[in-house]
């Protein structure tokens, strides 16, 4: 299988500075060594609690944050090694769609201009061709030419999200990172956008990293799912495998927490104690052990590695060997 | 994609309702604000007066005739009376509008050009931030009057130097206002999106960030215009501003204060003119701020 | 099980620059003692306004309750004096809000904020009130509450703050708890904890709960009855199992089908096209007609009334005679 | 508040208001008028000018003789004591003058006795001054406040420029100075001319004229000098205030830079002089100015009525004609430098407007005072407005600083430099025979006036405004006052 | 906290050095010097040269600056060129006057401004609100000198209630207080207006926050909601304006000081620069700048006292 994207032991630490001379006293280990590969045209779902480093991972892959260490290889090119100018040129391969449909569009530019600017940056088209490209992009995301001259404040949340998608598509990317792209939307609109994303993937063979905390949504759209906890991937598998046979206690808790829109099902919940610990003082041993209902002695001492248990089902847990 | 086309149908309504540019909604909100409209009215009148001063004013503002010194308000031929040289006060007040607007606009423009650039650079490049902000601190800690005094002593009193003095005076505050807006805006997703698209820093600063700092800048500029006009008047009062025979309101009020008992109108009228214009700009600025403020918008 | 709250033909309008927004436009429902009512609907459909109307906490101007009655424990809330209303707020009816991050005053300790209500409503001394507050915090599962009571909100996580909010709301043992999207801002795992907590406490105190959400999964788990709101109107109202098993209104159906389900495999999601209509316009037909896949001409011309179908209320021309 | 009649004796406390604070209270180190007003109460000079006649008469001195033109033998009065009780002797005079002449002191008025090269004190009551060149105006110089005699003991004990307690022989003893606010003097009960009637004198600083005037009106202050024209009527019309007005010696003028074209041309200067309507301007001064055509004004030694037949009257036609003759039929552009004080700022637009009538397009160059001084000393100005206030009341103290060639770069702003005029000026200085000296002064006055060295705009009328109940202030034409005999009713 | 304060005080040093360099350059770049002023119009060139030597003005520029600064490091601000008085002494009396005036008017302005602002916010869009805000806008639109002159005309000339020069710097005596009133009102008018506007808008903003809804939902009376919950939260911007205003009050009292004949630091500064009295200008500017920075520091400390989320370690 050919991988479009390979991420190898990617880390992103944010320094915490203090004192008169801004000395770095500590780090927020937002992403603490994650590795995965995505096959061209597939979708990787990335789930986990708030603050576990999903967005940071996404942005670090795009080098919107400079990675602390690790490698990102896209299409055989080592993205992490590019110098500033080549990086700028190469950026069109990877795009991002944001959660907040309000903050993600420049309120001073019309929908057409927003997409047009993306085209201009990489000189993808000009003149009449450019115009046509913008219109066709608008059409692709389900907007019409009448929207061309409208400003973001005249659009609803769902429509804004469509403009954001069109902007990302404008540079013909190979990969799009959807950072909670549907989380802020109402269920009815959410479904529209998910459908749109699927249509686009089919049409252009685009690869997605789909970040979300809603397991059901992720399951719907992904091929594989990675579960993150405190900067690390704790479980990764094919989506059906993951849902049918969750291995990591955290994954189980997550799955059981999903509210089911069916009053007849009263299922048992795995209750987790406490909250996510801070990524500054990461506990020794297994990161999850403080909240884990199944923890053993070894969990507190040794950090488990992510191990393939067969069939690409990878888990980082001492109790699943 | 049947749903999608339907979607757009539904949106047609939105289209009819919405105005084209984001600015038009602003006008609508501004119109509701009585104080702001009063401000706008005043400012427009002053503009017209300043523009057509030679046509409107009954006399040459510098024409002296000591035989008719210190006429009272309502004297025939001189509605607002005359000053100590027998110059027509109305004409001088009319011409004074020109100077006040000139000082206001030029000094604010001066302050804005430098302040905005400093603010943008300092907000966007965190490495330069602390150096620029230290300089700004020094300027801020420096007493304004003294700065004006020094500039005027060095370059000589006069309107241009007043403009420079007041301009320099506003640089640090503009820089701060812009910087804090930039710090906020540069973290917004649309700026990140521009970076993700591979846009250059220059484009990001001037095409993504700057246009979105415009509203605080406009609001600040209107308010600052008011302050600039006031400061110019105060400098003139201290003898550092406009020089004779220039019909500047502050200078007029200042020389007029010597006649405060015999001819109080010499101080009263230019003083009132200052208040009216400054009031105009302040109310307009207030109104703009409210109209541009997303918080208040939602609650109205 | 007597009726605790009865809302009749409630209309709350906002008089804005853009025009009049009928945020809640003739909504009627009731809640029995010990019952949980869920209100669902898209963002902007008027759920929060309906809830705030019950508390009489509509910002005025621009908002105004222009019609209807809200009978709580047999008394009409809308005709009460402000002072009497304060006796009800926090005491008889308590409310918690969507975002625990912004719903607590950042400048006061959580203890302060909890005892405030206790001291006013129960006329207790400060010391007693603190004891009371500690007990409530323990009840909502905050470890070592004696210490945490001196913490400021920013020293707690989102889930803990939401618990504090609940403790605060429960501190005077209200008859009715209104929870306006109490878990939207929380993580899934925390959300599950909070929802469980609300159900537990409801049973313990025999409280009535009105829970507002746009997440159908949430109401399915906790509510007894459900209101589906759309653009200020009540579209469907009935008990939870029947609405989930056989939604009548096309909007309700649309909502249900939009939700990706874990069991149903890989199919394309059904979605409701378009978005909420602009309420300031004088609406003629059914407010949902624009987006309705079953709409016909009549739907654009006049608005359907609520009809009783199968023990539920539905606002749709599909059920002219109360039949499915 | 002071209006109700009381039987109790009135508090003998007099408050003087002025716009500026003193710079110091030592005669050696100051030379401004605000300081002089204080000095005059604390210290005394050897000679003084009679306030009425202008004649120089002995004060601390008893008499003097000139054995030769370069020697001045001065006999001192006996039985005069400094305020601390030490006797006033020739040693004090020697001490004071030597200190002034010491370059390390950097006394700003050292030039007053610069020609003195040796001071002798043969006995306690005799002082002999030897000059290197004849110095005809020795007596006027010795009457200058800045040549007041200081108490050597006090000067050695501390900085009398800041704290002048017991530093003089005068009627009042320095008590307190709150810089920027006020200076307090108290009476010297052992004063040699008899105990003063006032107990306390306060010099209060009020920088805003309108405020100062109001204070006089309200009785918060007792008197002020130099009332500006705008406020004069108010004070005059106030029944509680008496305004005394005298013809004064300060002159206000429009000056030229003789080194810069076109003002090196006599015809141009004459044209300017003809173009200025002085009478009209004086009309705006509310009686605070009077006209004299000469450069040495009526209140100075050296003035004579004949000068009024010289000079130039207002005549625009003539002005234009002269300008044409000078080669400027269409006028020209000029810059008029002004220091930003009220009085000159008022004159400047007037001059500007008047010169416009003869097509001289004047641009005003307004400068703050320090810059103005530097600017004029450097000769950067083309035309300028200034005034000259004479301390000694002698015309020489105008000609020498203003027109003597060696004063270029200092007080000779006009850069006037004509050898024959220099010679005349020196004569007015060195001639010891007073009648002859006055003759030279008159001659100089005519010559300078004819040459339009300045265009005199007006001479000040000096004013003193005091509360009705204040009596006995001796007031002079140079704006100076003495409080020796002042009292309150 | 203590560390933080020390750190801030250390940061003051570069600012002050910067300020002193600016002042120094300023004084030396503008034409005219102290010797000429001391000599006056009649002084001869020799006299002026002697004065220059005495003042050290004949030395090279950097030497003068270094000599001055080494004095400052030893706590010696030097002597006034013009009067020979020790600068520290000259500044002290004036500074105390200005400071008292500024504090007094800031306190009065803050009380009036905050009260008016709260009422206006609570009664938003009422006639009181409109009146208050119109007056406040007028207040920030009127030049200080004009307000001062008008007050004098009304209260000293027409009604003779106050005396113009009554300022003695004493606050605790009746007379002293009386003398403080007019200058304080003149000075405080602008600030009160500004504070009122800021209070109003910040209370209005806070009053729409979620936790205010929570407070109301608890059944608290409107009075408690506003005065406890809303006001405390609005305090940060209010404290900021008060701080900024106070800072500019100290630097900008020249006008009031001359109109009311107050012997303050503003006037001293103007006189000193007019006299090119470098040590005096330098001393005055340094003290004003220090105050400005200290006021900022105090504002920051107040922030921490108000808001537990802000902690300076
Ligand atoms: N620029 C930054 N500087 C310092 N710390 C950061 C920065 N960005 C993120 N962090 C920290 O890194 C951690 C991971 O943040 P991230 O935003 O990636 O989480 P997330 O999984 O996307 O959460 P959410 O679901 O809330 O979006 C958090 O603890 C966050 O506080
Ligand atoms: N203060 C207000 N001023 C003007 N309009 C308002 C105000 N509050 C609410 N509305 C309007 O009332 C309508 C209903 O709002 P409401 O907050 O009840 O929606 P909601 O169903 O709670 O949505 P959400 O899920 O987003 O909370 C909206 O159209 C909104 O614009
Ligand atoms: Mg995120
Ligand atoms: Mg809501």
């Amino acid at each position: 299988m050919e991988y479009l994207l390979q991420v190898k032991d990617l880390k992103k630490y944010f320094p915490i500075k203090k004192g008169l001379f801004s000395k770095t006293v500590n780090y927020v280990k937002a992403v603490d060594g994650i590795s995965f590969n995505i096959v061209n045209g597939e979708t990787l779902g990335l789930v986990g609690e708030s603050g576990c480093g999903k967005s940071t991972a996404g942005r670090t892959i795009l080098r919107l944050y400079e990675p602390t260490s690790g490698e990102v290889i896209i299409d055989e090119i080592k993205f992490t090694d590019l110098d500033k100018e080549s990086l700028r040129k190469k950026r069109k391969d990877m795009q991002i769609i944001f959660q907040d449909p309000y903050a993600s569009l420049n309120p001073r530019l019309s929908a057409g201009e927003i997409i047009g600017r993306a085209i201009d940056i990489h000189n993808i088209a000009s003149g009449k061709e450019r115009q046509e490209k913008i219109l066709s992009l608008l059409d692709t995301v389900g907007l019409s030419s009448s929207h061309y001259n409208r400003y973001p404040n005249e659009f609803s949340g769902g429509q804004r999200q469509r403009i954001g998608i069109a902007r990302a598509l404008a540079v013909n990317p190979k990969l799009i990172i959807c950072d909670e792209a549907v989380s802020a939307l109402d269920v009815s609109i959410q479904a529209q956008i998910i459908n749109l994303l699927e249509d686009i993937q089919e049409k252009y063979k685009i690869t997605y990293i789909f970040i979300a905390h809603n397991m059901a949504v992720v399951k719907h759209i992904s091929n594989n799912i990675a579960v993150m906890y405190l900067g690390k991937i704790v479980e990764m598998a094919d989506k059906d495998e993951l849902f049918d046979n969750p291995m990591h206690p955290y994954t189980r808790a997550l799955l059981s927490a999903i509210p089911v829109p069916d009053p007849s099902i009263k299922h048992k919940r795995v209750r987790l104690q406490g909250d996510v610990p801070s990524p500054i003082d990461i506990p020794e041993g297994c990161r999850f052990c403080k909240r884990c209902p199944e923890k053993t002695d070894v969990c507190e001492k040794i950090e488990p590695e992510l191990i393939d248990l067969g069939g690409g089902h990878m888990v980082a847990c001492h109790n699943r060997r | 994609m049947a749903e999608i086309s339907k979607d757009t149908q539904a949106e047609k309504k939105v289209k009819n309702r919405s105005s084209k540019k984001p600015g038009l909604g602003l006008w609508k909100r501004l119109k509701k604000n009585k104080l702001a409209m009063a401000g706008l009215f005043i400012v427009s009148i002053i503009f017209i007066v300043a523009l057509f001063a030679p046509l409107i004013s009954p006399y040459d503002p510098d024409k002296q005739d000591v035989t008719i010194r210190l006429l009272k308000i309502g004297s025939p031929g001189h509605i607002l009376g005359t000053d100590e040289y027998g110059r027509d006060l109305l004409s001088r007040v009319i011409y004074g509008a020109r100077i006040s607007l000139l000082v206001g606009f030029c000094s604010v423009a001066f302050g804005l050009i430098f302040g905005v650039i400093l603010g943008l650079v300092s907000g966007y490049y965190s490495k330069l931030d602390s150096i620029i902000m230290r300089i700004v601190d020094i300027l801020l800690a420096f007493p304004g009057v003294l700065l004006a005094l020094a500039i005027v002593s060095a370059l000589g009193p006069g309107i241009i130097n007043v403009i420079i003095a007041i301009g320099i005076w506003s640089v640090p505050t503009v820089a701060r206002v812009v910087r804090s807006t930039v710090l906020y805006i540069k973290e917004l997703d649309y700026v990140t999106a521009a970076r993700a698209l591979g846009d250059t820093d220059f484009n990001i600063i001037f095409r993504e960030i700057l246009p979105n700092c415009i509203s605080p800048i406009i609001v600040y500029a209107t308010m600052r215009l008011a302050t600039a006009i006031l400061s110019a008047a105060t400098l003139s009062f201290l003898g550092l501003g406009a020089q004779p025979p220039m019909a500047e309101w502050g200078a007029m009020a200042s020389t007029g204060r010597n006649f405060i008992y015999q001819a109080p109108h010499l101080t009263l009228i230019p003083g009132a003119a200052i208040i009216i214009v400054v009031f105009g700009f302040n109310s307009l600025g207030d109104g703009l701020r409210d109209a541009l403020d997303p918080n208040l918008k939602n609650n109205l | 099980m007597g009726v605790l709250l009865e809302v009749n033909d409630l209309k709350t309008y906002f008089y804005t620059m853009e025009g009049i927004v009928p945020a809640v436009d003739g909504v009627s429902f009731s809640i029995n003692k010990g019952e949980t009512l869920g209100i669902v609907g898209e963002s902007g459909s008027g759920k929060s306004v309906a809830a705030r109307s019950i508390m009489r906490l509509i910002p005025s101007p621009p908002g105004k309750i222009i019609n209807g009655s809200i009978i709580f424990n047999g008394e009409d809330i809308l005709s009460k004096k402000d002072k009497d209303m304060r006796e009800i707020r926090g005491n008889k009816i308590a409310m918690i809000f969507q975002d625990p991050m912004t719903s607590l005053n950042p400048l006061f300790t959580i203890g302060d904020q909890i005892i405030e209500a206790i001291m006013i409503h129960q006329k207790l001394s400060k010391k007693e009130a603190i004891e009371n507050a500690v007990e409530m915090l323990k009840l909502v599962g905050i470890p070592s509450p004696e210490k945490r009571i001196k913490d400021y909100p920013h020293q707690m996580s989102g889930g803990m703050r939401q618990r504090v909010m609940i403790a605060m709301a429960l501190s005077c043992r209200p008859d009715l708890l209104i929870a306006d999207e109490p878990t939207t801002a929380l993580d899934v795992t925390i959300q599950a904890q909070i929802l469980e907590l609300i159900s537990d406490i409801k049973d313990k105190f025999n409280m009535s709960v009105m829970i507002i959400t746009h997440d159908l999964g949430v109401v399915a788990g906790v509510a007894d009855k459900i209101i589906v709101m759309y653009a200020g109107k009540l579209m469907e109202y009935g008990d939870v199992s029947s609405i989930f098993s056989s939604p009548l209104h096309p909007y309700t159906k649309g909502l249900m089908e939009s939700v990706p389900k874990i069991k149903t495999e890989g199919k394309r999601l059904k979605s409701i096209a378009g978005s909420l209509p602009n309420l300031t316009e004088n609406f003629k037909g059914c407010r949902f007609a624009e987006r309705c896949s079953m709409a016909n001409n009549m739907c654009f011309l006049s608005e359907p009334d609520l009809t009783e179908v199968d023990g539920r209320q539905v606002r749709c021309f599909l059920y002219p005679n109360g039949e499915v | 508040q002071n209006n109700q009649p009381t039987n109790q004796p009135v508090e003998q406390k007099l408050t003087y208001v002025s716009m500026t604070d003193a710079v110091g209270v030592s005669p050696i180190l100051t030379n401004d008028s605000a300081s002089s007003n204080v000095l005059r109460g604390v210290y005394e000079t050897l000679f003084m000018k009679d306030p009425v006649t202008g004649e120089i008469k002995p004060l601390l001195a008893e008499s003097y003789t000139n054995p030769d033109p370069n020697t001045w033998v001065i006999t001192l009065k006996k039985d005069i004591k400094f305020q601390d009780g030490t006797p006033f002797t020739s040693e004090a005079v020697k001490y004071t003058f030597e200190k002034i002449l010491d370059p390390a002191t950097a006394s700003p008025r050292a030039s007053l006795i610069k020609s003195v090269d040796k001071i002798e004190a043969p006995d306690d009551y005799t002082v002999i001054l030897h000059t290197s060149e004849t110095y005809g105006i020795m007596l006027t110089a010795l009457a200058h406040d800045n040549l007041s005699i200081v108490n050597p003991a006090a000067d050695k004990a501390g900085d009398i420029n800041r704290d002048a307690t017991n530093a003089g022989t005068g009627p009042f003893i320095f008590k307190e100075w709150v810089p920027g606010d006020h200076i307090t003097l108290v009476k010297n009960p052992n004063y040699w001319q008899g105990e003063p009637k006032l107990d306390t004198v306060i010099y209060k600083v009020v920088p805003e004229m309108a405020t100062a005037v109001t204070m006089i009106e309200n009785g918060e202050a007792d008197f002020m000098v130099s009332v500006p024209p705008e406020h004069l009527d108010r004070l005059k019309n106030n029944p509680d205030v008496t305004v005394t007005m005298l013809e004064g010696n300060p002159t206000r003028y429009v000056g030229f830079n003789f080194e810069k074209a076109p003002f090196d041309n006599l015809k141009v200067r004459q044209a300017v002089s003809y173009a200025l309507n002085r009478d009209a301007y004086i009309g705006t001064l509310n009686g605070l100015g009077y006209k004299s055509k000469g450069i040495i004004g009526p209140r100075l030694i050296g003035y004579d009525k004949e000068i009024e037949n010289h000079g130039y009257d207002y005549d625009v036609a003539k002005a234009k004609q002269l300008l044409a003759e000078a080669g400027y039929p269409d006028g020209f552009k000029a810059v008029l430098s002004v220091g930003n004080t009220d009085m000159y700022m008022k004159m400047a637009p007037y001059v500007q407007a008047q010169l416009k009538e003869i097509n001289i397009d004047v641009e005003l160059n307004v400068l703050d005072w320090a810059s103005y001084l530097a600017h004029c000393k450097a000769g950067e100005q083309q035309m300028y407005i200034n005034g000259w206030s004479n301390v000694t009341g002698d015309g020489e103290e105008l000609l020498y600083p203003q027109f003597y060639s060696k004063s270029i770069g200092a007080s000779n702003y006009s850069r006037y430099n004509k050898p024959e005029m220099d010679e005349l000026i020196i004569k007015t200085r060195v001639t010891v025979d007073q009648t002859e000296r006055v003759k030279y002064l008159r001659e100089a006055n005519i010559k300078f006036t004819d040459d339009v060295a300045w265009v005199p705009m007006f001479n000040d009328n000096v004013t003193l405004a005091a509360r009705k109940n204040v009596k006995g202030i001796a007031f002079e034409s140079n704006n100076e006052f003495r409080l020796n005999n002042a009292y309150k009713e | 906290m203590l560390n933080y304060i020390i750190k801030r005080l250390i940061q003051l040093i570069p600012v002050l050095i910067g300020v002193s360099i600016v002042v120094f350059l300023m004084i030396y770049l503008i034409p005219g010097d102290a010797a000429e002023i001391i000599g006056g119009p009649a002084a001869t060139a020799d006299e002026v040269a002697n004065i220059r030597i005495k003042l050290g003005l004949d030395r090279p520029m950097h030497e003068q600056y270094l000599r001055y600064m080494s004095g400052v490091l030893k706590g010696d601000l030097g002597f006034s060129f013009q009067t020979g008085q020790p600068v520290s002494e000259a500044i002290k009396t004036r500074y105390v006057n200005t400071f008292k005036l500024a504090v007094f008017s800031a306190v009065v302005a803050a009380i009036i401004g905050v009260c008016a602002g709260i009422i206006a916010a609570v009664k938003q869009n009422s006639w009181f609100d409109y009146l208050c805000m119109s007056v406040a806008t007028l207040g920030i639109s009127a030049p200080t000198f004009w307000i001062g002159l008008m007050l004098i005309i009304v209260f000293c000339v027409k009604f003779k209630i106050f005396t113009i020069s009554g300022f003695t710097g004493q606050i605790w005596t009746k007379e002293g207080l009386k003398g403080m009133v007019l200058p304080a009102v003149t000075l405080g008018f602008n600030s009160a207006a500004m504070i009122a506007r800021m209070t109003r808008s910040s209370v209005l903003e806070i009053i729409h926050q979620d936790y205010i809804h929570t407070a109301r939902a608890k059944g608290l009376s409107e009075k408690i909601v506003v005065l406890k919950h809303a006001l405390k939260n609005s305090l940060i911007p209010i404290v900021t304006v008060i701080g900024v205003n106070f800072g500019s009050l100290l630097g900008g009292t020249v006008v009031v000081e001359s109109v009311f004949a107050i012997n303050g630091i503003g006037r001293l500064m103007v006189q000193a620069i007019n006299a090119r009295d470098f040590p005096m200008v330098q001393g005055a500017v340094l003290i004003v700048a220090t105050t400005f920075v200290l006021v900022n520091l105090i504002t920051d400390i107040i922030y921490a006292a108000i808001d537990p989320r802000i902690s300076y370690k």
Side-chain angles (χ1 to χ4, degrees), chain D residues 31 108 111 162 179 211 220 371, chain E residues 39 47 83 164-165 259 263 276:
Chain D
N31 76 341
S111 60
R162 309 249 40 87
T211 311
E220 286 175 58
S371 310
Chain E
E47 283 167 348
T83 66
I164 301 172
S165 63
V259 171
N263 186 24
R276 307 291 188 265

Side-chain angles (χ1 to χ4, degrees), chain C residues 6-135:
Chain C
E6 201 179 320
V7 174
N8 290 313
D9 199 25
L10 178 71
K11 289 188 181 171
T12 306
Y13 288 9
F14 287 92
Y15 297 82
T16 68
M17 289 195 192
E18 273 80 32
I20 302 169
V21 183
V24 172
D25 201 9
V27 169
S28 311
F29 59 88
S30 66
I31 304 179
N32 291 334
K33 291 207 169 95
E35 191 181 56
T36 301
L37 173 75
I39 303 187
V40 293
E42 263 170 280
S43 181
S45 55
K47 308 180 297 286
S48 301
V49 173
R52 288 185 185 188
S53 301
I54 295 172
M55 294 292 271
R56 278 197 24 211
L57 283 175
I58 298 295
S60 164
K64 203 169 172 211
I65 299 175
I66 57 160
N67 188 41
S69 64
I70 300 173
I71 314 290
F72 178 74
N73 264 338
E75 292 173 69
D76 189 358
I77 282 181
L78 294 183
S79 59
K80 282 199 179 302
K81 288 207 204 78
D82 274 356
K83 193 168 158 286
D84 300 331
M85 194 57 221
R86 285 208 293 274
E87 272 306 301
I88 291 181
R89 279 186 212 138
N91 195 18
K92 298 275 188 285
I93 309 179
M95 186 157 177
I96 50 181
F97 296 96
Q98 166 175 12
D99 190 352
M101 297 302 178
T102 58
S103 302
L104 285 169
N105 193 329
L107 306 190
F108 296 96
T109 61
I110 57 160
D112 249 5
Q113 299 188 54
I114 299 176
I115 64 170
E116 219 173 22
I118 302 179
M119 281 163 70
I120 288 183
H121 296 303
Q122 313 206 334
K123 317 263 176 314
L124 294 181
S125 74
K126 190 163 179 185
K127 211 174 135 227
E128 290 166 315
I130 290 174
E131 278 165 21
N132 225 320
V134 169
E135 201 176 307

Side-chain angles (χ1 to χ4, degrees), chain E residues 206-227:
Chain E
I206 296 295
I207 223 148
H208 291 115
Q209 297 290 320
D210 285 350
Y211 51 80
I212 297 297
H213 296 311
T214 311
R216 290 215 179 96
K218 274 192 273 191
L220 302 183
S221 67
E222 200 56 25
K223 204 170 87 194
I224 296 182
V225 170
V226 172
L227 292 183

Side-chain angles (χ1 to χ4, degrees), chain A residues 14 28 30 49-57 65 99 179-180 213 279:
Chain A
F14 294 105
V28 180
E49 268 167 309
S50 175
C52 70
K54 307 183 295 289
S55 301
T56 308
Y65 295 152
Q99 166 170 18
D179 188 357
E180 315 231 12
H213 55 249

Side-chain angles (χ1 to χ4, degrees), chain B residues 165-176:
Chain B
I166 298 175
I168 291 181
W169 204 341
S170 11
V171 169
T173 2
V174 177
R176 282 221 165 160

Side-chain angles (χ1 to χ4, degrees), chain A residues 49 192 195 199 219-220 275, chain C residues 157 189 262 267-268 272:
Chain A
E49 268 167 309
Q192 292 172 11
N195 287 343
D199 292 345
K219 176 167 186 230
H220 183 87
D275 302 309
Chain C
S157 69
T189 53
I262 289 176
K267 276 184 289 173
R268 234 182 117 76
I272 313 171

